[in-house]
Amino acid sequence: MKTKTKLIHGGIPSDQQTGAVSIPIYQVSTYKQDGIGGHKGFEYSRTGNPTRHALEELIKDLEEGTAGFAFSSGMAAITAVMMLFNSGDHVILTDDVYGGTYRVMTKVLNKLGIESTFIDTSNLSNIETAIRSNTKAIYIETPTNPLLKITDIRGASNVAKEHNLLTIVDNTFSTPYWQTPLNLGADIVLHSATKYIGGHSDVVAGLVVVNSNQLAEDLHFVQNSTGGILGPQDSWLLIRGIKTLGIRMEEHEENTKQIIEFLQSHPGVEKIYYPGLSSHPNHNIAKKQVRGYGGMISFDVGSEEKAEQLLKQVKYFTLAESLGAVESLISVPAKMTHASIPKERREELGITDGLVRISVGLEDMEDLIADLANALKG
């Protein structure tokens, strides 16, 4: 089954009870049993809900894994995955991760004794150097947020296997339409499904897919025990959003290519970050592991003042957190998504106060370019 077909017919494509072509929203908390333990696959909606189950089966199929799990947010998904580890365990993470990931590792999970080290995983030798006797996993974002750095998933997974470590990949920016990390050797893939998978700025959710029955059993135990589940209405919204993921991702990318051509020719833009550019670090790695480069661009306009001026002038790019929606969004990571990272750490990573991140939407490309051209006049 080809990917666009799988987006529509994967998982549980219709309701087996009624034949409805859209899985119903099972707004229910508990289920009648014929006798003690005699339920029909569902007993309590924290443990399992038919609508959520349909979503979990769908994302499992799209990522080509063993089992899928739906959580109430991307951060709930990340936290649940980290609950697979014990106090005293150590996790290596990409240095340029989403600010919320950095925050939960350094301000919350560290209190539970889960240790973390942040390194540039785009250089595989750094991973080897960072491994300790108590290291249990390598956590990769690729492309990263906001500098769109690329890590070799297969290479990192090979290093992990040599040391009996898990490989975890945040696949939010690429989605399973453009990249399938489990096929490259990863053990766990996760998403902030709030972004491209939902695609319409109307749901907050997280998704996880694992590649083994043991990981599936362990993560379901965490999900059921801690309860950070996705509700049935939001599960239904994600199923609906996924049906158009393919055509949306293709259109996002087509608009992005033309916007990049404009930015490259503009004197007010000092640097552009986009993995589809041949000049982008590890572009050749990206070519091997993705089927498309996505709709995220970061570019530096040189100063905080110029960035703020740009944000004041845009009309079609909405100043807002998040990304991956049908509408184009714009932000300054240093002041918004990555504000929780200390300034000295941001500067060390290259997240300057003049760095602007745009999530290219589905508006007419000519309108988007005209909007940026007007805003960059200063």
Side-chain angles (χ1 to χ4, degrees):
M1 193 187 302
K2 301 295 184 181
T3 305
K4 280 184 179 176
T5 306
K6 194 184 294 184
L7 292 170
I8 297 169
H9 295 283
I12 304 172
S14 62
D15 182 47
Q16 296 180 3
Q17 296 295 320
T18 66
V21 297
S22 175
I23 294 295
I25 300 172
Y26 285 90
Q27 193 67 49
V28 58
S29 61
T30 193
Y31 305 82
K32 180 182 178 181
Q33 301 186 22
D34 295 331
I36 297 174
H39 56 79
K40 299 174 182 176
F42 299 94
E43 51 188 327
Y44 188 65
S45 275
R46 171 167 41 78
T47 307
N49 172 279
T51 315
R52 189 175 89 233
H53 176 63
L55 170 63
E56 292 173 333
E57 287 292 293
L58 179 54
I59 193 62
K60 177 201 74 175
D61 286 355
L62 294 176
E63 287 287 7
E64 301 187 27
T66 300
F69 301 88
F71 295 89
S72 57
S73 69
M75 289 312 305
I78 291 169
T79 302
V81 168
M82 290 302 164
M83 290 291 99
L84 295 172
F85 305 115
N86 299 315
S87 179
D89 287 348
H90 173 245
V91 180
I92 298 168
L93 297 94
T94 301
D95 54 4
D96 180 27
V97 288
Y98 168 55
T101 306
Y102 181 87
R103 178 175 58 222
V104 76
M105 295 301 301
T106 60
K107 302 294 185 182
V108 179
L109 295 174
N110 64 315
K111 295 179 181 178
L112 303 179
I114 298 175
E115 303 172 11
S116 57
T117 300
F118 296 83
I119 64 166
D120 181 3
T121 57
S122 66
N123 184 338
L124 295 183
S125 64
N126 292 337
I127 298 176
E128 291 274 10
T129 302
I131 294 173
R132 306 175 186 170
S133 59
N134 61 333
T135 303
K136 300 299 180 182
I138 301 169
Y139 180 106
I140 300 165
E141 255 189 40
T142 183
T144 62
N145 180 9
L147 298 178
L148 298 151
K149 288 160 65 174
I150 299 296
T151 293
D152 181 347
I153 297 173
R154 190 178 297 281
S157 298
N158 288 340
V159 173
K161 286 178 173 61
E162 290 173 6
H163 296 272
N164 198 30
L165 311 178
L166 292 176
T167 303
I168 305 164
V169 178
D170 184 333
N171 200 27
T172 298
F173 274 25
S174 288
T175 81
Y177 190 71
W178 288 141
Q179 180 172 264
T180 42
L182 299 184
N183 290 336
L184 297 170
D187 300 289
I188 300 173
V189 59
L190 55 84
H191 300 268
S192 172
T194 310
K195 314 304 194 296
Y196 284 111
I197 289 179
H200 293 77
S201 298
D202 55 10
V203 61
V204 174
L207 296 172
V208 179
V209 180
V210 299
N211 74 343
S212 74
N213 290 326
Q214 186 60 60
L215 283 172
E217 182 180 333
D218 292 346
L219 189 56
H220 182 261
F221 181 83
V222 172
Q223 182 190 49
N224 187 45
S225 298
T226 59
I229 56 163
L230 190 64
Q233 293 198 34
D234 287 343
S235 296
W236 184 87
L237 283 171
L238 284 190
I239 293 171
R240 184 182 67 168
I242 285 172
K243 293 180 188 297
T244 61
L245 180 63
I247 57 173
R248 286 190 286 108
M249 294 306 290
E250 290 179 0
E251 187 69 11
H252 284 304
E253 180 158 324
E254 186 57 37
N255 275 353
T256 299
K257 289 177 181 177
Q258 297 184 60
I259 288 174
I260 284 175
E261 289 182 7
F262 162 74
L263 293 174
Q264 286 178 311
S265 64
H266 199 287
V269 177
E270 296 187 358
K271 190 171 183 178
I272 302 171
Y273 300 87
Y274 185 69
L277 292 172
S278 59
S279 59
H280 190 80
N282 277 2
H283 168 72
N284 289 333
I285 299 293
K287 282 176 63 177
K288 295 178 181 178
Q289 68 186 25
V290 303
R291 297 175 290 275
Y293 299 105
M296 298 300 301
I297 312 170
S298 291
F299 58 96
D300 204 314
V301 294
S303 69
E304 179 180 352
E305 292 73 24
K306 290 180 180 179
E308 290 183 354
Q309 182 65 25
L310 170 65
L311 267 57
K312 289 178 182 177
Q313 296 297 321
V314 288
K315 178 180 179 182
Y316 298 124
F317 285 86
T318 301
L319 174 60
E321 302 273 1
S322 200
L323 56 98
V326 293
E327 58 273 341
S328 293
L329 302 176
I330 190 168
S331 67
V332 174
K335 302 297 181 182
M336 299 172 72
T337 56
H338 288 65
S340 60
I341 298 177
K343 181 177 176 60
E344 60 273 13
R345 178 63 175 163
R346 293 197 306 266
E347 292 176 347
E348 180 183 333
L349 295 172
I351 305 173
T352 67
D353 289 345
L355 185 73
V356 176
R357 189 193 75 182
I358 59 175
S359 171
V360 180
L362 304 184
E363 300 93 342
D364 189 282
M365 176 272 303
E366 292 183 2
D367 286 334
L368 295 178
I369 290 177
D371 194 25
L372 288 173
N374 180 66
L376 285 166
K377 287 179 181 178

